[in-house]
Amino acid sequence: MPNITFEIPSEIKKILSDHPEIKWDKVVTDTLWNYAKKIRLMDKIASKSKLSIQDVDKLDKTVKARLLKHYRKT
């Protein structure tokens, strides 16, 4: 299995160091795997889409404008 290296804040490092009983590599691997499965599903769904990038941008702006209008009322 390949290795990966990344930086974490000191506060998180302290928490991890305080709990050596937890297999942190498994926690990270499981978390990455779950996220990767979601991305894979998203890619599969998006690959069947007939929307263009311009369609997505227009839809994005419309939804955000309506949400802003809706929540400004409350």
Side-chain angles (χ1 to χ4, degrees), residues 11-45:
E11 186 177 337
I12 293 175
K13 173 65 174 146
K14 172 146 179 28
I15 295 168
L16 273 57
S17 297
D18 289 345
H19 294 279
E21 73 280 5
I22 297 173
K23 295 181 179 178
W24 292 110
D25 58 331
K26 177 144 175 42
V27 173
V28 172
T29 300
D30 291 349
T31 302
L32 290 172
W33 183 239
N34 287 332
Y35 199 86
K37 287 192 284 189
K38 290 176 187 176
I39 291 173
R40 187 169 54 187
L41 176 61
M42 180 190 66
D43 287 344
K44 185 177 179 182
I45 292 169

Side-chain angles (χ1 to χ4, degrees), residues 4 6-7 10 12 16 21 23-24 28 34 39-40 43 45-46 50 53 55 57 59-61 63 69 74:
I4 186 169
F6 54 92
E7 294 182 13
S10 299
I12 293 175
L16 273 57
E21 73 280 5
K23 295 181 179 178
W24 292 110
V28 172
N34 287 332
I39 291 173
R40 187 169 54 187
D43 287 344
I45 292 169
K50 292 183 170 61
I53 295 296
D55 295 334
D57 289 341
L59 181 61
D60 175 59
K61 288 177 184 172
V63 169
K69 185 177 177 181
T74 56

